[in-house]
Amino acid sequence: MDIKKIYMDSDALLEGHFKLSSGNHSQFYLQSAKVLEDPKTAKLLADALALQIKESGIKIDTVCAPALGGLIAGFALATALDCRSIFAERVNGEMSIRRGFEVKKGERVLMCEDIITTGGSAMEAAAVVKSLGGEIVGVAALANRGFCKRQNSDVTTKPNCRLPQDIPFFALADFTFEMYSPEDCPMCKNGSEAIKPGSRGN
């Protein structure tokens, strides 16, 4: 499955000058919402991701996704895995699990995002799950920005990856785009202004 082609065909691989949620800048941005707006494509990707997870043999009770970006991917993956789907959301800047969702002690939870960069949002949500007694058994995403090593990939884990090394990370493809701090961004130095797309921008 050519994940890059799917993103390009969906006009979801954007080129420009972008400010990422990490604060870094990049010439490229993955807008997964454009891919997931087609239910057939969402199902296709979720089924492929679920196959990887099933082949690993890990047991999963629940998929938990950080809102907003991970919501559709998480629900589609939970459907493919035939398990429960919940989400975490920010309340006054802090991740929270609410809306009546409960996590039982020992419940095996897979964290799911649309895109994993450093994994910061996923781990914030995972901390809430753990505080409620859940056990994090893995992390999954449609695409990996190349900071964290996923299963069956040659990408090496970089120092700013926030995913724990003792649980598996599943994704369908690696997108290793160059990223820059605002101070070192060549596009900024050329006078271009970064825009912030996605769930925390537009």
Side-chain angles (χ1 to χ4, degrees):
M1 183 184 297
D2 190 338
I3 304 302
K4 184 175 181 179
K5 185 176 187 305
I6 290 173
Y7 269 78
M8 291 179 70
D9 289 348
S10 301
D11 294 324
L13 177 50
L14 310 180
E15 186 170 358
H17 182 191
F18 304 105
K19 182 178 179 182
L20 308 177
S21 58
S22 63
N24 291 322
H25 292 193
S26 177
Q27 185 181 354
F28 298 98
Y29 187 84
L30 297 170
Q31 183 60 280
S32 295
K34 288 291 293 176
V35 175
L36 297 172
E37 71 180 354
D38 177 10
K40 290 180 181 176
T41 303
K43 183 180 186 306
L44 180 73
L45 297 175
D47 286 348
L49 190 54
L51 183 60
Q52 283 188 25
I53 295 164
K54 289 174 182 175
E55 287 175 346
S56 77
I58 65 171
K59 304 295 183 186
I60 298 164
D61 299 313
T62 299
V63 172
C64 178
L68 186 63
L71 273 179
I72 299 173
F75 182 79
L77 182 58
T79 302
L81 292 170
D82 193 24
C83 68
R84 187 168 74 114
S85 172
I86 64 173
F87 60 87
E89 58 192 304
R90 290 189 187 278
V91 179
N92 298 321
E94 299 289 330
M95 277 291 183
S96 175
I97 292 178
R98 50 186 206 152
R99 301 181 189 272
F101 292 140
E102 295 179 356
V103 178
K104 297 187 178 73
K105 185 174 176 56
E107 189 168 348
R108 295 165 297 197
V109 179
L110 177 78
M111 305 306 300
C112 180
E113 277 272 35
D114 55 346
I115 307 292
I116 288 285
T117 302
T118 62
S121 294
M123 288 302 97
E124 284 183 66
V128 181
V129 170
K130 290 169 72 173
S131 74
L132 297 173
E135 176 190 354
I136 307 302
V137 296
V139 177
L142 300 180
N144 173 35
R145 284 295 304 257
F147 284 78
C148 305
K149 179 174 173 55
R150 65 182 175 95
Q151 298 290 297
N152 306 315
S153 169
D154 294 330
V155 170
T156 56
T157 298
K158 294 180 173 57
N160 48 353
C161 174
R162 292 179 58 187
L163 299 186
Q165 302 301 299
D166 58 345
I167 61 171
F169 166 40
F170 306 94
L172 295 174
D174 298 312
F175 289 83
T176 52
F177 303 137
E178 197 72 48
M179 284 191 278
Y180 310 94
S181 67
E183 301 78 31
D184 297 325
C185 175
M187 294 169 285
C188 286
K189 290 177 181 177
N190 287 334
S192 172
E193 184 176 348
I195 64 169
K196 190 171 184 180
S199 57
R200 297 188 208 174
N202 54 22

